[in-house]
Amino acid sequence: MKKDFKLYWTLFSSTFFLSAFTFGGGYVIVPLMKKKFSDELHWIEEKEILDLTAIAQSSPGPIAVNAAILIGQRIGGMPGALLSVLGAVLPPLIIISVISSAYAAFRDNAVVSACLKGMQSGVAAVIADVVFGLGGKIVKSKSAFQIGLMIAAFIATWFFGVNVVFIILFCGVLSAAKTLYAGRKGGRDHAA
Amino acid sequence: MLLELFWAFFQIGAMSIGGGYAALPLIRSQVVDIHGWLTMTEFTDLITIAEMTPGPIAINGATFVGTQISGLAGAVVATAGCVLPSSLIVLTLAWLYNRFRNLTVIQGILSGLRPAVVALIASAGLSILMTALWGSSSPADWLGDFQIIPCLLFAAALAALRKFKLSPIAVMLGCGALGVGLHLCGLM
């Protein structure tokens, strides 16, 4: 990949626009980034987006900003990371600066809330689309371990409200144990 | 004053693991309890605005408080403070990831984390869907006022994404425009 002006500009403008549309929390930006950087631009693999999300989630700070830094760094090195932080931070900075002076009027405006209500359905659809895609791949992998982890993680977070950091840690430790165990068994078979 | 602002949001950025609403109590303690920059009412308004606008809640909070205290400079300083600690940590982790991701153990760990991440995204999506269709993400309200129009909008948006491969941003903008249109027709 050539690291020219065009690459950096696309990186910055993409993060800027994606950040401008991440209503409703950090996870919304992940499906958007996957669509943009993986499906559309083919800059980064889908698997890697999920890995980077796990890192973004386990670090302090806003997930959307963390994810932007990671993808920027992956694509454009240090300058890429800086540009994508800027891209991720500018939209909320501008929007809040503008409306913080007139927030009562903004909050009570019926047209604004109708627009936001409509967009909520759109955001939900975007996430659903990506979840079907990613979840479908995991189901197709026919790995009982992965499918089981996915279901267990969903139940833990949705029904029991378990802190996501614990979920990530637990899945990580479990998979490490499984890999080490399989590795040792494999090694013994090999020796025999 | 600017330095104090920077330091307060530096701490918020460094300690809010889990993103989003995990940061709220931290913001409250720094901004309302320790420094008295906002009253509790203003803090509640801040949450409302943060929910209605895009962007991470911590960044929204940083900008809001920064603007109130010392205008644009305050907003920039507070946002920078909020983003700096996580940037450093995340870049270190990225370096480790790039260096070690081909090890078998790390491969194994990552293959277990991916399904978990999908589940977390699904759960976040579901709560947004609940809020869109029922006006609340709490199961107790499910039987309450189910709204048919957001549901149709959701179905149409999903079809547009899956069948016609429209870009997500176009779909969201379209939904927003439809929301305004339906409101003007008295339907929403």
Side-chain angles (χ1 to χ4, degrees):
Chain A
M1 207 183 313
K2 232 174 75 193
K3 287 185 183 169
D4 54 7
F5 176 76
K6 200 168 151 265
L7 176 102
Y8 288 121
W9 173 248
T10 317
L11 183 64
F12 172 75
S13 59
S14 307
T15 359
F16 185 89
F17 281 113
L18 296 186
S19 171
F21 285 95
T22 47
F23 291 88
Y27 282 120
V28 178
I29 207 172
V30 176
L32 292 176
M33 283 181 162
K34 180 205 163 263
K35 286 240 151 205
K36 181 83 192 172
F37 294 119
S38 167
D39 300 352
E40 198 183 316
L41 294 168
H42 303 290
W43 279 357
I44 184 165
E45 263 182 78
E46 191 178 284
K47 267 187 188 170
E48 231 177 310
I49 297 240
L50 290 179
D51 295 347
L52 297 181
T53 309
I55 299 178
Q57 168 64 65
S58 330
S59 317
I63 299 171
V65 176
N66 291 351
I69 297 171
L70 287 166
I71 290 183
Q73 197 271 342
R74 169 71 179 68
I75 292 166
M78 238 8 201
L82 274 174
L83 277 177
S84 39
V85 176
L86 213 60
V89 159
L90 276 181
L93 191 76
I94 296 169
I95 294 169
I96 297 284
S97 306
V98 171
I99 60 172
S100 67
S101 47
Y103 66 84
F106 178 82
R107 190 187 53 202
D108 302 331
N109 188 309
V111 175
V112 171
S113 69
C115 177
L116 291 168
K117 192 100 202 359
M119 287 179 79
Q120 231 171 26
S121 299
V123 171
V126 170
I127 302 186
D129 176 36
V130 169
V131 167
F132 287 151
L134 294 173
K137 269 184 200 146
I138 289 183
V139 171
K140 264 187 224 142
S141 76
K142 295 212 171 86
S143 148
F145 180 70
Q146 294 208 10
I147 299 173
L149 270 189
M150 184 167 71
I151 296 171
F154 182 80
I155 292 174
T157 177
W158 180 255
F159 291 103
F160 298 106
V162 178
N163 189 324
V164 287
V165 178
F166 291 132
I167 296 179
I168 298 253
L169 274 178
F170 181 76
C171 289
V173 170
L174 205 64
S175 327
K178 180 179 175 278
T179 317
L180 288 175
Y181 179 72
R184 202 185 300 158
K185 215 172 91 185
R188 228 186 3 239
D189 290 349
H190 191 71
Chain B
M1 191 55 141
L2 285 178
L3 207 65
E4 232 174 282
L5 201 60
F6 180 84
W7 179 234
F9 278 93
F10 187 91
Q11 290 174 55
I12 293 170
M15 291 189 296
S16 61
I17 298 185
Y21 296 96
L24 278 180
L26 280 167
I27 301 177
R28 204 196 89 153
S29 96
Q30 283 290 336
V31 166
V32 181
D33 302 342
I34 299 180
H35 294 285
W37 285 325
L38 294 184
T39 65
M40 203 51 212
T41 321
E42 285 172 315
F43 181 71
T44 317
D45 285 331
L46 163 65
I47 300 174
T48 315
I49 297 177
E51 276 174 354
M52 293 177 77
T53 53
I57 201 157
I59 305 287
N60 289 341
T63 311
F64 188 80
V65 176
T67 313
Q68 304 272 323
I69 295 171
S70 39
L72 190 61
V76 172
V77 164
T79 305
C82 185
V83 168
L84 193 64
S86 55
S87 306
L88 298 177
I89 294 171
V90 152
L91 284 173
T92 314
L93 289 175
W95 181 79
L96 291 171
Y97 167 78
N98 285 326
R99 213 184 138 112
F100 296 112
R101 73 179 160 135
N102 290 325
L103 294 181
T104 324
V105 182
I106 303 293
Q107 284 282 333
I109 293 177
L110 290 172
S111 75
L113 289 186
R114 285 177 206 132
V117 170
V118 175
L120 296 177
I121 298 176
S123 153
L126 199 55
S127 64
I128 291 176
L129 185 64
M130 294 295 177
T131 316
L133 301 192
W134 280 276
S136 157
S137 61
S138 137
D141 299 320
W142 285 5
L143 300 169
D145 43 5
F146 174 74
Q147 293 158 310
I148 189 77
I149 289 176
C151 182
L152 293 176
L153 214 52
F154 170 76
L158 194 58
L161 286 163
R162 288 197 80 78
K163 291 249 181 269
F164 306 108
K165 309 274 175 226
L166 286 185
S167 110
I169 290 183
V171 169
M172 285 194 274
L173 281 178
C175 283
L178 275 173
V180 173
L182 290 169
H183 170 74
L184 295 178
C185 300
L187 282 168
M188 210 161 124

